[in-house]
Amino acid sequence: MSLPRKDLFDLPEGVIYLDGNSLGPLPKSASDAVQRVVQDQWGQQLIRGWNLCGWMDQPSRVGDRVGALIGAEPGSVVMGDTLSIKVFQALAAALQMRPDRRVILSDTGNFPTDLYMAEGLIALKNAGYQLKTVAPEDVADSIDASVAVVMLTEVDYRTGRKHEMSAITRAAHEAGAVMIWDLAHSAGALEVKLKESGCEFAVGCTYKYLNGGPGAPAFIYVRPDLAPDIQPALAGWLGHDAPFAFEPNYRAGLGIERMRVGTPPVLQMAALEAALDAWDGVDMAELRSASVALSDLFIAEVEKRCPMLRLISPRDGARRGSQVSFAFDNGYAAMQAIIDRGVIGDFRAPDVMRFGFTPLYIDETDVLAAADIIEEVMRGDLWDRPEYHQKSRVT
Amino acid sequence: MSLPRKDLFDLPEGVIYLDGNSLGPLPKSASDAVQRVVQDQWGQQLIRGWNLCGWMDQPSRVGDRVGALIGAEPGSVVMGDTLSIKVFQALAAALQMRPDRRVILSDTGNFPTDLYMAEGLIALKNAGYQLKTVAPEDVADSIDASVAVVMLTEVDYRTGRKHEMSAITRAAHEAGAVMIWDLAHSAGALEVKLKESGCEFAVGCTYKYLNGGPGAPAFIYVRPDLAPDIQPALAGWLGHDAPFAFEPNYRAGLGIERMRVGTPPVLQMAALEAALDAWDGVDMAELRSASVALSDLFIAEVEKRCPMLRLISPRDGARRGSQVSFAFDNGYAAMQAIIDRGVIGDFRAPDVMRFGFTPLYIDETDVLAAADIIEEVMRGDLWDRPEYHQKSRVT
């Protein structure tokens, strides 16, 4: 089956959805699956669902499917919790691996929660750790012998700027540091080659390009040779080697299983598992080139029509994720006006108008239609109406 | 509306469900709510759901409803993550409050994940902390000046033995220790008076007596005077004072909001929020006395008919939670045989047969019918058939 696969999604009439980088749309299969798990499984099987409906194994089973989309080895990815929690787990484990080093290195383009979770962990450990952030382009040169961990998000959530995963991982390893990649804007968007990169840890969310639904569980990858030695900081019972033996002491489970913590969110897992069906048979290299083509076209069309918008994403598709961002002083209001006309993108403070390209359900026709509407709003100064300046919390 | 309220639940035909202490049954309102949130909200509103459908405020809004059922002050409870994570947050915050003390005191009847999470935190802090567990009846006398935190589950998951919340909290405070209550088997089962108890922290899950569904989010309570001083160990972006300002540094949000971590599980939250409708107008004192009456009746009937079962729950209803447990050497097989005949309870290693009483949807007729079936299995040695001895992971 080739791209796009619009018929697999419930897309509202009259909407061009360029925000799949924030929350993917509803796959029809997910809608059916959730109804089934609620009514037939929870409703009819009750507690027996844990055995009879495969709820208990779902985090690993789904983990393997996500793993296949990011170039991970089978048995190296498990689902659960939120991305923030997975960042914490990876970071805590990484610091254990370099007990004599005290610096966590990240960049100023990292998503704030990754940095916040590092701050929280540092305060908790209270042992002289330091979070150092440098400009994205300075990361490789800043990895010295003080750095325990390099923690980066591959694709910048604001600009779409893409790090070179393999090169930076190599630089980290040459300096003796552990590498953690946050794939929030990569999984389902890029051809990720996790195993090839050699990185120790990766984490990500599934409600963006993987279309798992609002609040879908996160994932964590641990390089298979390392998993057996990790003592999980979040030592929950479902990461125990024998959760139902109810032993008084923690014994870490086999391999990646030890990164599980508490009871998995069965309804969210069901939505995600079904949502992944939309990826069956997708060639990630083909998807990536479709995404670059769509975003190249979008940049060309918008720049031609709207000179007041300043591209802040890399112009070179190879250095860009699957989103395109423009800066505009009245970006918040402009985005509201554009959304009001059926093109959904989003806004990120202070002035970023962000558009995501998701070849599963967006094609050239959509891009051209979106450019028409953006042109209408921008050239007509339609954003200047008072109703577009009322701020709400999320756009 | 009086008890029971069976019509609010989708209970399978031919089943007497005595396992609501493990996973509550499906409230009809939850089934509808989940379908609505998936199809109308996620499907039609897409990313706009965060604003337009109240997803962002749901953890606090639902927290207040749970809070009302456990005697907590408005604005003191927030939902999210799993109980294991909430234990970690409470424990980390409690240890911050007593920097000169090094002992976490718990009891041997605590649910293992609480103890495991403490172990993980202790290893992470690497500063001489110690987890000390004593027999439940020895807790009060074991709180000395070395104890930073007393962390207990009010109702023992195996025996149903109930701690005296106010008395133990008082003993903890007299010794200068911080008190954390795990209400996993209390919320929706007992008349909990959290505010009156004066405890600093409480945590719990919502998939048991509150019927929030498999993997429903957990809750955390922080005594309102303390919340402003807590520096969250899990410093996620949704606990930040201004999550959408995307500031580089963490600033804890207002009050209980700071105990939020990552993106809330919207589908699970929707199920839970709707499930709580079943509690509207329920008088918790009335519920508690119905639960004691049902379990007293169950004990009397089972003991009369099945002398081979040994009661391990307190005989005094006032000292018991909302479950009754019997020990039997072949308890696993016996429980399988009972389940096979339509009475669903569960088994906990090594030999515990556990039955939960939930007056929202269980009445005297159910108890007597369940006793008939248990008698049939036990007196007829029906458990002795080979098919009941095949072990699976969860019962």
Side-chain angles (χ1 to χ4, degrees):
Chain A
M1 195 166 34
S2 63
L3 299 171
R5 305 172 154 195
K6 293 191 189 214
D7 56 314
L8 299 183
F9 294 86
D10 257 335
L11 295 163
E13 286 291 317
V15 163
I16 300 171
Y17 195 56
L18 303 184
D19 209 8
N21 52 313
S22 195
L23 175 68
L26 173 62
K28 291 172 183 164
S29 58
S31 180
D32 296 342
V34 172
Q35 210 177 324
R36 210 162 43 238
V37 78
V38 169
Q39 291 178 358
D40 303 345
Q41 297 185 4
W42 175 16
Q44 295 301 306
Q45 297 303 330
L46 299 153
I47 189 66
R48 296 169 296 193
W50 288 108
N51 281 328
L52 301 180
C53 307
W55 296 349
M56 195 49 79
D57 301 324
Q58 211 165 14
S60 316
R61 191 170 71 233
V62 177
D64 271 344
R65 291 184 69 182
V66 170
L69 296 174
I70 53 176
E73 303 89 330
S76 65
V77 174
V78 76
M79 313 304 300
D81 307 294
T82 63
L83 179 47
S84 299
I85 296 291
K86 295 297 159 199
V87 165
F88 187 89
Q89 287 183 291
L91 207 45
L95 293 180
Q96 283 171 18
M97 293 168 62
R98 295 294 180 272
D100 300 329
R101 297 184 175 204
R102 283 294 178 271
V103 173
I104 298 168
L105 180 69
S106 190
D107 71 33
T108 52
N110 204 347
F111 191 72
T113 207
D114 296 37
L115 306 178
Y116 301 162
M117 292 305 289
E119 275 189 68
L121 177 61
I122 286 171
L124 191 63
K125 288 182 76 82
N126 189 27
Y129 285 94
Q130 182 199 345
L131 172 64
K132 190 171 156 187
T133 53
V134 299
E137 59 275 19
D138 296 335
V139 168
D141 289 340
S142 304
I143 313 174
D144 60 28
S146 71
V147 175
V149 191
V150 181
M151 172 181 73
L152 297 171
T153 299
E154 186 186 14
V155 176
D156 186 302
Y157 75 105
R158 277 198 177 103
T159 64
R161 184 264 318 125
K162 185 179 151 304
H163 275 303
E164 290 285 346
M165 184 180 287
S166 287
I168 293 187
T169 303
R170 205 160 44 239
H173 289 174
E174 278 165 11
V178 174
M179 186 75 225
I180 301 175
W181 284 106
D182 179 340
L183 304 176
H185 291 268
S186 307
L190 308 177
E191 209 183 349
V192 182
K193 297 179 175 173
L194 216 46
K195 180 183 173 187
E196 264 182 47
S197 81
C199 73
E200 284 85 352
F201 300 94
V203 294
C205 62
T206 62
Y207 46 74
K208 297 178 183 293
Y209 295 94
L210 297 178
N211 313 307
F219 65 84
I220 186 165
Y221 162 86
V222 179
R223 211 176 67 197
D225 59 308
L226 302 172
D229 293 323
I230 289 174
Q231 282 307 314
L234 300 176
W237 71 308
L238 289 185
H240 191 281
D241 191 47
F244 292 92
F246 301 103
E247 296 173 5
N249 293 106
Y250 185 77
R251 284 191 297 116
L254 203 65
I256 191 69
E257 290 284 319
R258 68 187 59 192
M259 303 314 272
R260 293 177 65 166
V261 186
T263 306
V266 172
L267 311 189
Q268 306 276 165
M269 280 293 178
L272 171 61
E273 184 164 22
L276 293 175
D277 290 351
W279 292 94
D280 285 349
V282 170
D283 179 312
M284 293 306 290
E286 184 194 341
L287 177 108
R288 170 66 171 153
S289 72
S291 138
V292 171
L294 291 173
S295 51
D296 278 348
L297 175 65
F298 182 76
I299 292 171
E301 291 294 325
V302 171
E303 288 196 321
K304 190 166 67 187
R305 303 161 187 231
C306 307
M308 69 294 282
L309 295 182
R310 182 171 55 86
L311 181 71
I312 59 168
S313 296
R315 194 169 293 278
D316 175 2
R319 304 187 52 201
R320 197 173 62 222
S322 206
Q323 68 174 74
V324 171
S325 298
F326 290 96
F328 180 61
D329 279 347
N330 279 291
Y332 177 85
M335 187 54 85
Q336 302 314 309
I338 290 166
I339 291 172
D340 222 24
R341 283 157 186 80
V343 175
I344 302 185
D346 64 17
F347 172 79
R348 285 292 175 255
D351 62 356
V352 178
M353 297 170 65
R354 197 170 69 151
F355 302 92
F357 296 90
T358 48
L360 286 190
Y361 51 86
I362 291 292
D363 60 20
E364 278 192 19
T365 311
D366 297 318
V367 169
L368 295 173
D372 283 346
I373 287 172
I374 295 167
E375 179 181 14
E376 183 194 341
V377 165
M378 299 311 300
R379 292 176 74 105
D381 288 345
L382 301 184
W383 54 267
D384 206 15
R385 298 180 182 168
E387 68 262 34
Y388 299 129
H389 292 259
Q390 290 155 8
K391 296 227 170 178
S392 49
R393 287 214 294 180
V394 197
T395 63
Chain B
M1 194 165 36
S2 63
L3 299 170
R5 305 173 153 192
K6 293 192 189 211
D7 56 314
L8 299 183
F9 293 87
D10 257 337
L11 295 163
E13 286 291 316
V15 163
I16 297 171
Y17 195 56
L18 303 183
D19 209 8
N21 53 313
S22 193
L23 175 68
L26 173 62
K28 290 172 183 165
S29 58
S31 180
D32 295 342
V34 172
Q35 209 175 327
R36 211 162 43 238
V37 79
V38 169
Q39 291 178 358
D40 302 346
Q41 298 186 4
W42 174 16
Q44 294 300 306
Q45 297 303 332
L46 298 153
I47 188 68
R48 296 168 297 194
W50 288 107
N51 281 327
L52 301 180
C53 307
W55 297 347
M56 195 49 77
D57 301 324
Q58 210 164 16
S60 316
R61 193 170 69 235
V62 178
D64 271 344
R65 290 184 69 182
V66 170
L69 296 174
I70 53 176
E73 302 89 329
S76 64
V77 174
V78 75
M79 313 303 301
D81 309 294
T82 62
L83 179 48
S84 300
I85 296 291
K86 295 299 160 198
V87 164
F88 187 89
Q89 287 183 291
L91 206 44
L95 294 180
Q96 281 170 20
M97 292 169 61
R98 296 294 180 272
D100 300 328
R101 298 183 174 204
R102 285 292 177 272
V103 173
I104 298 169
L105 180 69
S106 190
D107 71 33
T108 51
N110 205 347
F111 191 73
T113 206
D114 295 37
L115 306 177
Y116 301 162
M117 292 305 289
E119 275 190 67
L121 178 61
I122 286 171
L124 191 63
K125 288 183 76 82
N126 190 26
Y129 285 94
Q130 183 200 342
L131 171 63
K132 191 172 155 186
T133 53
V134 298
E137 59 275 19
D138 295 336
V139 168
D141 289 340
S142 305
I143 313 173
D144 60 27
S146 71
V147 175
V149 191
V150 181
M151 173 182 72
L152 297 171
T153 299
E154 187 187 13
V155 176
D156 186 301
Y157 75 105
R158 278 198 175 103
T159 65
R161 185 264 317 125
K162 186 181 151 304
H163 275 303
E164 289 285 348
M165 186 181 286
S166 286
I168 293 188
T169 303
R170 206 162 39 240
H173 289 175
E174 278 165 10
V178 174
M179 186 75 225
I180 301 175
W181 285 106
D182 179 339
L183 303 176
H185 290 269
S186 307
L190 308 178
E191 208 183 349
V192 181
K193 296 179 175 173
L194 215 46
K195 181 184 171 186
E196 264 183 47
S197 82
C199 73
E200 284 85 354
F201 300 94
V203 295
C205 62
T206 63
Y207 45 74
K208 297 179 184 290
Y209 294 94
L210 297 178
N211 312 307
F219 65 84
I220 185 165
Y221 162 85
V222 179
R223 210 176 68 196
D225 59 308
L226 302 172
D229 293 323
I230 289 173
Q231 282 307 315
L234 300 175
W237 70 309
L238 289 185
H240 192 281
D241 190 48
F244 292 93
F246 301 104
E247 295 172 6
N249 293 106
Y250 185 75
R251 282 190 299 116
L254 206 63
I256 192 70
E257 289 285 317
R258 70 187 58 191
M259 303 313 273
R260 292 176 64 166
V261 186
T263 305
V266 172
L267 311 190
Q268 306 276 166
M269 280 293 177
L272 171 60
E273 185 165 21
L276 293 176
D277 291 350
W279 293 92
D280 284 349
V282 170
D283 179 312
M284 294 305 292
E286 184 195 341
L287 178 108
R288 170 67 171 151
S289 72
S291 137
V292 171
L294 291 173
S295 50
D296 278 349
L297 175 66
F298 183 76
I299 291 171
E301 291 293 325
V302 171
E303 288 196 322
K304 189 167 69 187
R305 303 160 186 231
C306 308
M308 69 294 283
L309 295 183
R310 182 170 55 86
L311 181 70
I312 60 167
S313 297
R315 194 169 294 278
D316 175 3
R319 303 187 54 199
R320 196 172 65 220
S322 207
Q323 67 173 75
V324 171
S325 297
F326 290 96
F328 180 62
D329 278 349
N330 278 292
Y332 178 86
M335 186 55 83
Q336 301 316 307
I338 291 166
I339 291 172
D340 222 24
R341 282 155 187 82
V343 174
I344 302 185
D346 64 16
F347 172 80
R348 285 292 175 256
D351 62 357
V352 178
M353 296 169 67
R354 197 170 69 151
F355 302 91
F357 296 90
T358 49
L360 285 190
Y361 51 86
I362 291 294
D363 59 21
E364 279 192 17
T365 311
D366 296 320
V367 170
L368 294 173
D372 283 346
I373 288 172
I374 294 167
E375 179 181 13
E376 182 194 341
V377 166
M378 299 311 301
R379 292 175 75 105
D381 289 345
L382 302 184
W383 53 267
D384 206 15
R385 298 180 182 168
E387 67 261 36
Y388 298 130
H389 292 259
Q390 289 155 7
K391 295 227 172 180
S392 49
R393 286 214 291 177
V394 195
T395 62

